[in-house]
Amino acid sequence: MRRYDLISSLVFLACGVAIAAGSLPINVGTFRDPGPGLFPLITGILMCLIAGGAFAISWLRSGSAVREPPGADKRLWHNKSVATVVIMLLYAMAFEWLGFVADTFLVLLVLFKAIGGLNLRASLGGAILTTAIAYLVFKLWLNVQLPLGPLGL
C-alpha cells in the first residue's frame, strides 16, 4: 500500500505544479484585486502542499506497519469507488428531470446509506441537512437558478 500512496501523492504533486505553473501566464492580480489566475494558483499551491504532506507521511511510515493482506478489502474499495462514480453520473443525468432538491436528497441518501454504511436515521438526517444547506446557499444566498423538477422545489 505504501507504494501506491507514494505514487498517487507524486501524481497529485505533479498536477498541483502543473496547475500552479499554468496559472502564472494568466493575470494573477492581488488579493484586493484578484485576476482570473489567482484561484488556480492558490489551488495548485494547496494541492502541492497536501500532496507533499501525503508523500512525506508515506515515505516516513514503516513498510511493515502498512502491509495489508490482499483480499476483500481492496475489492470492496474498488466497488465503492465504481458505485460512487456511477451514482454521480446518474445524479448529473437526472438533475434536470428530478430537480435540485429531490435529486440531491436521493443521491446523498444513497451515498450515506450504501457507500458510507450509516444507519437509516443518520443517512436521512445527513441527506436532509446537507440538501437544505446546499439549497440555502445556492438558491437563496447566491441566487443560482436551479432546476425545479416535478415537485416544484
Side-chain angles (χ1 to χ4, degrees), residues 12 66 75 78 125:
F12 279 108
V66 182
R75 281 186 275 129
H78 177 72

Side-chain angles (χ1 to χ4, degrees), residues 6 10 12 19 28 32 42 46 54 57 63-64 84 94 101 108 110 119 144:
L6 291 171
L10 286 176
F12 279 108
I19 290 170
V28 176
R32 289 192 183 269
I42 292 172
L46 288 175
I57 289 170
S64 62
T84 303
V101 174
L108 288 172
V110 170
N119 63 34
V144 175

Side-chain angles (χ1 to χ4, degrees), residues 14-68:
C15 289
V17 168
I19 290 170
S23 70
L24 291 178
I26 305 170
N27 181 19
V28 176
T30 64
F31 282 108
R32 289 192 183 269
D33 185 27
L38 184 64
F39 182 72
L41 178 66
I42 292 172
T43 302
I45 291 171
L46 288 175
M47 230 172 135
C48 288
L49 291 173
I50 292 169
F55 182 82
I57 289 170
S58 296
W59 183 264
L60 296 175
R61 197 179 296 165
S62 69
S64 62
V66 182
R67 290 202 179 144
E68 297 176 0

Side-chain angles (χ1 to χ4, degrees), residues 91-145:
Y91 174 74
M93 292 181 346
F95 193 68
E96 292 288 327
W97 182 64
L98 285 176
F100 175 77
V101 174
D103 195 26
T104 302
F105 171 75
L106 289 174
V107 164
L108 288 172
L109 182 65
V110 170
L111 287 174
F112 288 148
K113 181 71 177 131
I115 307 300
L118 298 177
N119 63 34
L120 185 60
R121 186 175 179 185
S123 298
L124 279 170
I128 291 169
L129 184 65
T130 306
T131 302
I133 290 171
Y135 183 81
L136 290 172
V137 168
F138 289 113
K139 183 69 174 174
L140 301 179
W141 184 35
L142 298 174
N143 293 323
V144 175
Q145 285 186 325

